[in-house]
Amino acid sequence: MNSNGVVEWAVVESDIGPLLLAATDSGLVSVVFHARPAVRDRALAQLRTRLGAELVESPGSARLAEPIRQFAAYFAGTLRDFSLDLDWSLTSGFNRQVLRELSAGVPYGAVAGYGDLAERVGQPGAAQAVGAAMGSNPLPVVVPCHRVVERDGGLGGFGGGLETKRQLLALEGVLPRPLF
């Protein structure tokens, strides 16, 4: 539970479809891909349960202004590094450790393997657990799980779907952009 009481949220359009952004007093707490009504409603119900907070749709909120601005700049290609306050309360333990290492250590335009990240957090051999941590990432794009790929060059899985992962990696210049 968090004592923030209120979580403010908004759905914003992006190059990869509608994104739900949610923030507490502490910072951005959740980013949800493909936030059309059914997905949005399910995500909001989960946030309400997990955070024990009231959720308020507030697209003009001061809390969301900077996340919305930075996402727009990222998709416009003018922002490479998000500098947002993050609320890590939806993740803990090994997953949080891996996500913080990913956030700090895998910059725009770079990729890392699942095994690489496992080694970086002192758990060599935990590549599958790293995959699970990526799958549970409450802050995709900002905490760039799209930059984690398979050792053999495969894209690996992605909560937002492989097409979304491809689009993000193309935006960052890791993959060629599709011709059409």
Side-chain angles (χ1 to χ4, degrees):
M1 291 282 170
N2 85 13
S3 57
N4 295 330
V6 173
V7 175
E8 294 179 338
W9 65 274
V11 173
V12 297
E13 284 306 317
S14 80
D15 291 9
I16 55 171
L19 297 172
L20 182 144
L21 305 180
T24 65
D25 279 345
S26 304
L28 191 66
V29 71
S30 179
V31 176
V32 178
F33 292 119
H34 313 303
R36 291 171 197 92
V39 169
R40 178 201 66 209
D41 293 348
R42 195 164 54 242
L44 291 172
Q46 286 175 334
L47 279 174
R48 192 174 292 112
T49 301
R50 292 192 59 195
L51 294 173
E54 181 189 349
L55 274 72
V56 178
E57 184 172 13
S58 188
S61 108
R63 252 187 230 178
L64 290 170
E66 194 56 18
I68 290 170
R69 188 193 71 73
Q70 289 192 29
F71 268 89
Y74 171 80
F75 286 109
T78 59
L79 179 91
R80 290 177 163 229
D81 297 305
F82 287 91
S83 54
L84 296 170
D85 290 330
L86 301 179
D87 179 334
W88 292 92
S89 60
L90 292 176
T91 183
S92 61
F94 178 79
N95 288 1
R96 184 185 292 191
Q97 190 184 4
V98 169
L99 292 169
R100 283 183 176 270
E101 174 57 36
L102 170 64
S103 186
V106 184
Y108 186 99
V111 293
Y114 295 94
D116 299 333
L117 271 180
E119 284 176 24
R120 289 187 196 193
V121 297
Q123 298 286 335
Q128 279 188 306
V130 167
M134 296 304 109
S136 74
N137 181 6
L139 294 161
V141 184
V142 178
V143 178
C145 53
H146 60 278
R147 296 181 191 149
V148 182
V149 296
E150 293 174 350
R151 181 178 292 134
D152 64 9
L155 281 179
F158 192 60
L162 288 182
E163 188 48 42
T164 300
K165 187 170 188 172
R166 272 190 205 95
Q167 286 176 278
L168 291 169
L169 290 171
L171 172 71
E172 295 187 8
V174 174
L175 290 176
R177 288 187 180 267
L179 296 174
F180 45 84

